[in-house]
Amino acid sequence: MLFIDIGNSRIKAGVLEGGRIHLQEPCEWRTAAAGGPWQALLGGLIRPTRLLVSNVAGNTMADTLTTWAQERWQLVPEFVTVQREFAGMTTRYDRPAQLGIDRWLAALAGFHLAKGAVCVIDSGTALTVDIVNAAGDHLGGLIAPGLGLMARSLTQGTAQLSLDAVHRVDHIATNTAAAISLGCREAVAGLILRVAERIRRELEQEPLWVVTGGEAEMIRELSPVALRVVPDLVLQGIAIVGAHPT
């Protein structure tokens, strides 16, 4: 089976073979050629038996993938959707259809990985936090700007500032670029600390903390709590869906 995670900026793909997900090189779909990213990302693969997809990038991306897969492999992609109850996890989201499929899949995979309470951080364009208790209740979470988006939003809205990415800063900043990086990093570190305090207060459980996404290593480095980096967490969630008949 082939799993694809279409995010706000990047596409991740993995092939399930021998019980393991073998990752392909991620692709920045916003900067792909006019023909789309699919040939570059998937052109070297043999026809899979199934193609399961998580997509938060909209209908155009779904349509281009469907067209490519049908022309190349005569295969129709299966787009995963959020379920209220699935594989031992129940989401308490008010309207499950409004929960991002990537958040749901990451929470599902995190719960199965932890075999108990888990707090999942997914840090890419946006930074999301999702909490599942030991009983398998997905309690919801929060959404904030990712580090890169935070820095770009600040500099685009402020005259004479320019910074495309956040860098590691270990001291009080003595220049503007370092000050922006430090401010963004401390904001995220403070967010994680507040979430940890809330979990201890409201859950009275200590979850496994997991981080995924393009900024995962930077988040792990600045986090005040220990985080386990799982690069393919959303793909692992898709694998769980693929293993359960609907």
Side-chain angles (χ1 to χ4, degrees), residues 117-210:
V118 66
C119 183
V120 174
I121 300 173
D122 190 341
S123 185
T125 304
L127 185 147
T128 63
V129 180
D130 283 278
I131 301 161
V132 185
N133 67 17
D137 297 316
H138 170 245
L139 304 176
L142 60 85
I143 304 173
L147 285 166
L149 179 59
M150 199 182 300
R152 290 190 297 273
S153 298
L154 175 62
T155 57
Q156 288 171 5
T158 307
Q160 298 180 339
L161 295 179
S162 179
L163 187 69
D164 291 328
V166 170
H167 304 284
R168 178 174 179 172
V169 180
D170 295 320
H171 50 78
I172 298 297
T174 55
N175 62 75
T176 301
I180 293 170
S181 288
L182 182 60
C184 294
R185 288 169 60 90
E186 293 292 83
V188 170
L191 180 151
I192 295 172
L193 185 60
R194 288 292 298 270
V195 170
E197 291 171 350
R198 183 180 296 273
I199 288 174
R200 294 187 188 105
R201 183 171 65 250
E202 297 184 9
L203 259 68
E204 298 181 349
Q205 298 173 342
E206 189 60 42
L208 174 68
W209 287 76
V210 178

Side-chain angles (χ1 to χ4, degrees), residues 3 20 30 34 38 50 52 106 112 154 163 170 222:
F3 307 139
R20 289 185 53 211
R30 291 184 183 275
W38 307 117
R50 292 176 70 186
L52 283 79
H112 280 249
L154 175 62
L163 187 69
D170 295 320
L222 63 80

Side-chain angles (χ1 to χ4, degrees), residues 30-71:
R30 291 184 183 275
T31 58
W38 307 117
Q39 180 61 32
L41 185 68
L42 308 174
L45 300 178
I46 63 172
R47 183 188 187 278
T49 56
R50 292 176 70 186
L51 172 54
L52 283 79
V53 185
S54 164
N55 177 34
V56 299
N59 292 334
T60 299
M61 289 296 292
D63 292 344
T64 61
L65 173 58
T66 298
T67 298
W68 190 91
Q70 288 179 321
E71 291 178 351

Side-chain angles (χ1 to χ4, degrees), residues 14-31:
V15 178
L16 182 65
E17 290 181 329
R20 289 185 53 211
I21 298 175
H22 300 268
L23 295 176
Q24 308 300 302
E25 187 68 26
C27 172
E28 297 283 343
W29 66 262
R30 291 184 183 275
T31 58

